[in-house]
């Protein structure tokens, strides 16, 4: 495929992003928006047309009444997004405007290692490409549950991905699918997705926090995810919040050992078994919604809503701990918005109330005077959407 | 003066910064570096010459052996930097390359309010302008000890600056001195100075921490200080690290209540009076270096170096607390460097050793695998130097 031909000129890059973000645009409007002459614009459009990225798209009538031919991204342009989690993989295909055409999710254990897991990803990609009638892809964006060197396209010392350290994920996918590929951390793509189409739409500086099995965050600064020196920025799961229990990282009392999804399940089960929570005991015996005898955030949230005192106390204690960490980060970063996402966010309003109360009390007034703390709007689809955005950002980047 | 005439074209802005950073450059080299034609370059140089910013500067012989006329910033161009602290003010004059020509420091109580303090700043500025033979200034950069709206040039709810909230510092100085003025937070200008000429020279992503009377930080990201939504980013002094004592902010156990310069002085004096530290008691009776019966970080550092167990314990406890906060910030930001500055940094190596040990143990391996934690090289002059840099950055910014 020729889509990946680079380098793009700055004008080409700006043109491609504008068409992605706004849809078909008249040549007259492009001349104005890009600050180039008509002849130069025509040359750039021809160059992008020759590699299959843009096409003519009818004629518009401008305010002055003069018709001007429109340009659009090629209507057959397709992107794929892959969101690999610890225990599942989600794959989506999006069109040139990044509208999701189809999305599939399957259980998948990342610990099986890169070769079988990337084989699964390939199978799923082929499946959604076939069912959406997509002959080829312009670019693939992928997220993985660990630190990533974005520049090199490889996971770097990912704690829960044995066998993946520095595995050439980007180059391997690019080889198999013959298109540009980006690889990023899973929380980074969720934040990117939430900025594209969720509660953080268009916001340039915000803090995104995912509380799932583990806990991670992403700081979006100046409209871009801040990745840090080694790709590990946002790694807040190992901030010390208590004196125990011992974490896999070797330290005691890491945030995600005390209030991640796994910790919540452990504590809820203990409350059920000890008889301290009748509501949780009933769910454990009756079978949790997942039907596997495991209590999740959904169970705890439901028990708390029923007024179960032990479940309420569990949510409040966790919210205070997480809120304490967020209060420090809010002081340090002074963001315009905090977004809470991930499975534990299903605890819902009681969790949010406790987090808000802690942050508003404990952070400085200046940092909180105008600071919404909200739940993700996109939930599980934020990741694949963000992967589509990141893939197209890179494909449409200037040289 | 016409220096401030704007908007500058992007080419003018790039040209001005290049001459500031590199000194005189030949027209041939400018054509290459800026990617513009000779005729366009001449037009831009003439425009900047007309407003007194650049001048001809002899002839260089290029590698090809052809002589090319050189351009430089006007040799008489002068910037002023003002670093207003809680109890002192420092003023410097720098030349077009930001070499400091003269610097003066005087005690000054910021609590007297903006009118008398800005009067003092004016007097000091006139003094250094006279003694350096400077008829007028291209721009003034000023730092103040509190949160600042950089865009508006005003302090915003500064806790230790009564009477300064939203006072038009920038516009008032600009009116009095007839030049462009920037106003920033004092820790931000220190970080900027350290990046210009200190231990962080040329580094794009680092964490700068000032432990003075209070404790603050600045995150430099992509070569720029990150200021946050309300200008309060970096405010780490009120991160909770203990259960007491109560802070002026209304919370308990804020970092700067437990380990700022004031806290250290308080704790050292208590150790001296209780007899727990003979070395500190001797200094308190004999008079501290400051001669005012107040023990400072210098006294505690000296007592620790003499082997005084109580002083050593004080330094270690403080280093562990500060190190614990930095460990969390290192996880979140994944910086390439951490710089420790401010009066308490005079505790020196024992403090640094304790901070390093805590961060290296408590942060994730990926974030610390290649992370120097070092003392500021510039000390007290970082602030005024950074103010010069910020002032020239803004004067030389594209429209």
């Amino acid at each position: 495929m020729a889509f990946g031909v680079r380098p793009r000129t700055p004008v080409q890059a700006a043109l491609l992003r504008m068409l992605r973000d706004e849809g078909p645009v008249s040549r007259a409007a492009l001349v104005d928006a890009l600050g180039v002459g008509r002849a130069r614009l025509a040359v750039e459009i021809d160059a992008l047309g020759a590699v299959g990225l843009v096409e003519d798209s009818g004629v518009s009538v401008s305010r002055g009444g003069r018709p001007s031919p429109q340009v659009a991204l090629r209507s057959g342009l397709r992107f794929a997004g892959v969101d690999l989690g610890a225990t599942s993989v989600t794959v989506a295909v999006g069109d040139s405007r990044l509208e999701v055409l189809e999305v599939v999710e399957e259980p998948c254990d990342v610990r099986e290692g890169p070769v079988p897991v990337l084989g699964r990803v390939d199978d799923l990609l082929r499946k959604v490409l076939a069912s959406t009638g997509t002959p080829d892809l312009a670019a693939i964006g992928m997220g993985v549950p660990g630190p990533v060197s974005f520049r090199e396209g490889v996971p770097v010392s990912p704690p829960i991905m044995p066998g993946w350290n520095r595995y050439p994920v980007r180059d391997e996918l690019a080889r198999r699918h013959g298109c540009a590929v980006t690889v990023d951390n899973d929380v980074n793509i969720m934040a990117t997705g939430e900025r594209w189409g969720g509660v953080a739409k268009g916001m340039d500086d915000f803090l995104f926090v995912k509380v799932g099995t583990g806990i991670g965050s992403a700081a979006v600064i100046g409209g871009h995810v801040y990745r840090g020196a080694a790709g590990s920025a946002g790694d807040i799961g190992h901030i010390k919040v208590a004196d125990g229990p011992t974490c896999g990282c070797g330290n005691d009392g890491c945030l995600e050992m005390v209030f991640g999804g796994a910790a919540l399940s452990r504590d809820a089960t203990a409350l059920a078994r000890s008889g301290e929570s009748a509501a949780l005991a009933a769910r454990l015996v009756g079978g949790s919604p997942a039907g596997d005898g495991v209590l999740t955030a959904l169970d705890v949230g439901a028990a708390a809503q029923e007024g179960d005192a032990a479940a309420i106390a569990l949510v409040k204690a966790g919210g205070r701990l997480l809120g304490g960490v967020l209060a420090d980060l809010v002081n340090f970063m002074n963001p315009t918005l905090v977004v809470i996402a991930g499975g534990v966010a299903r605890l819902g309003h009681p969790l949010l109330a406790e987090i808000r109360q802690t942050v508003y009390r404990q952070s400085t007034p200046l940092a909180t005077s105008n600071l919404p703390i909200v739940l993700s709007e996109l939930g599980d689809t934020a990741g694949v959407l963000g992967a589509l955005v990141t893939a197209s950002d890179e494909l449409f980047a200037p040289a």
Side-chain angles (χ1 to χ4, degrees), chain A residues 84 89 108-122 142 164:
Chain A
L84 180 63
V89 60
C108 176
D109 188 345
V110 74
R111 293 171 300 183
E112 287 177 13
V115 176
V117 168
L118 290 181
R120 290 284 301 283
V121 168
D122 271 353
M142 179 166 177
W164 289 81

Side-chain angles (χ1 to χ4, degrees), chain A residues 195-349:
Chain A
R195 179 170 186 267
W196 176 269
V199 69
K201 190 169 174 60
M203 304 205 73
D204 283 342
D205 298 275
F206 66 95
L207 176 59
F208 181 92
V209 182
K210 179 192 176 190
V211 192
T213 307
I215 298 181
S217 77
V220 172
I221 291 179
H224 299 280
V225 170
Y226 177 71
R227 296 192 169 88
S232 77
D235 191 350
I236 63 170
H238 299 279
I239 288 181
K240 186 177 170 70
V241 297
D243 286 328
T246 301
C247 178
C249 78
N251 285 317
D252 288 343
C254 293
L255 176 60
E256 70 180 36
M257 281 304 290
V258 184
F259 188 59
L264 192 70
S265 176
R266 174 198 67 207
D267 292 348
T269 305
L271 289 173
R273 297 221 166 108
S274 70
E276 288 170 86
S277 166
L280 289 173
R283 278 163 197 276
L284 191 62
V285 173
S288 69
D292 53 4
V294 173
L295 294 172
T296 70
L298 274 180
D299 299 303
V300 179
Q305 281 206 308
E306 290 166 16
D308 182 89
I312 291 171
L314 191 59
V315 173
K316 280 187 180 259
R320 269 197 301 276
L321 281 174
L322 179 58
V325 169
L326 296 186
D328 297 348
L329 299 181
V330 162
N331 277 354
F332 179 60
M333 182 184 164
N334 185 199
T336 51
L337 172 74
V338 176
V339 182
I340 313 284
V344 174
R346 295 194 183 116
L347 289 172
H349 184 74

Side-chain angles (χ1 to χ4, degrees), chain A residues 36-59:
Chain A
V36 295
R38 236 182 145 76
R40 166 80 187 282
L41 178 68
V43 169
E44 302 284 22
I45 290 173
D46 286 350
L48 294 173
V51 295
L53 286 172
V54 305
E55 64 189 13
D56 291 327
S57 174
V59 169

